[in-house]
Amino acid sequence: MKKVALTITAVLFALTVVIADDNKEAQHSVSIEIPTVALVDVEDADGEAQTINLTPDVSAIEAGEAVDFNTATDNSLWLNYTSVVAKNKKRNITAKIESGDLPEGVSLVLSVGGISTGNGTKGEAVSGTITLGKNAKDIVKNIGSCYTESGSNKGHQLTYSLDMDNSSYDELIADSYSVEVVYTITDN
């Protein structure tokens, strides 16, 4: 009986040591994958950008003067984006007129403001004005991993205006016109 009791005691002691070793330390691997992200949005004070209206101010025009198309401006929209790039990669944002037609002789001009919100490598806005057309033009260059924050007064302020080629004034027709501007974030 002493041998059986001693054997049971030895087995219980061995199990206690094994169980105790399991509780002292445990480990496992963690796999982390960071996806690439490329998101762009245009927002106004109410959220997603709505249609903006550009109409030259003719309230003070005198007979014999040309309509001043430079009075047609709007700066209510903001360009927001989020980007996570692969190693040693950069991105650009382009803008173009996707569809619709402008009045003869009239150009849609865009100016992209600087940026003070967000974090990361937010890129640089192209300085000056950009005349938009059917071909995409860079408006922000050298974007790395970053975010601009989301909403109005975040990211880059977009200022739209009209310009008129006075040599085409004879082809100008009074009517309503509409174009769709598309912004695209692309890898370099």
Side-chain angles (χ1 to χ4, degrees):
M1 188 63 135
K2 280 186 175 182
K3 282 186 179 184
V4 172
L6 187 56
T7 303
I8 291 174
T9 303
V11 169
L12 288 175
F13 178 74
L15 285 174
T16 303
V17 170
V18 170
I19 291 172
D21 281 346
D22 271 350
N23 290 330
K24 286 183 183 177
E25 187 177 289
Q27 67 186 40
H28 66 87
S29 297
V30 176
S31 176
I32 299 171
E33 184 174 332
I34 308 296
T36 58
V37 177
L39 301 171
V40 64
D41 196 9
V42 177
E43 298 203 15
D44 63 15
D46 297 324
E48 290 298 313
Q50 304 300 316
T51 300
I52 60 170
N53 296 303
L54 298 176
T55 303
D57 181 8
V58 295
S59 63
I61 193 170
E62 293 283 333
E65 294 179 340
V67 172
D68 184 1
F69 282 83
N70 293 319
T71 62
T73 64
D74 183 285
N75 64 356
S76 64
L77 301 179
W78 294 81
L79 181 67
N80 303 156
Y81 48 92
T82 300
S83 173
V84 178
V85 294
K87 187 175 183 176
N88 298 321
K89 297 290 182 181
K90 297 286 184 185
R91 292 193 168 115
N92 292 342
I93 295 178
T94 62
K96 71 176 184 173
I97 294 175
E98 181 73 18
S99 61
D101 293 306
L102 292 167
E104 194 64 41
V106 175
S107 299
L108 181 60
V109 179
L110 175 66
S111 177
V112 180
I115 186 169
S116 62
T117 61
N119 279 301
T121 305
K122 299 173 280 188
E124 306 89 32
V126 172
S127 63
T129 59
I130 300 145
T131 301
L132 296 177
K134 301 286 183 179
N135 295 322
K137 294 185 179 177
D138 288 333
I139 62 165
V140 181
K141 293 181 173 183
N142 298 316
I143 300 166
S145 292
C146 69
Y147 64 93
T148 62
E149 297 185 28
S150 182
S152 181
N153 297 307
K154 309 289 185 193
H156 298 273
Q157 187 172 26
L158 303 174
T159 301
Y160 287 94
S161 59
L162 296 178
D163 190 32
M164 177 68 196
D165 175 6
N166 284 332
S167 67
S168 297
Y169 211 91
D170 62 330
E171 298 178 43
L172 190 59
I173 305 283
D175 202 349
S176 292
Y177 299 86
S178 179
V179 295
E180 182 177 344
V181 177
V182 174
Y183 293 88
T184 306
I185 188 167
T186 60
D187 292 334
N188 289 9

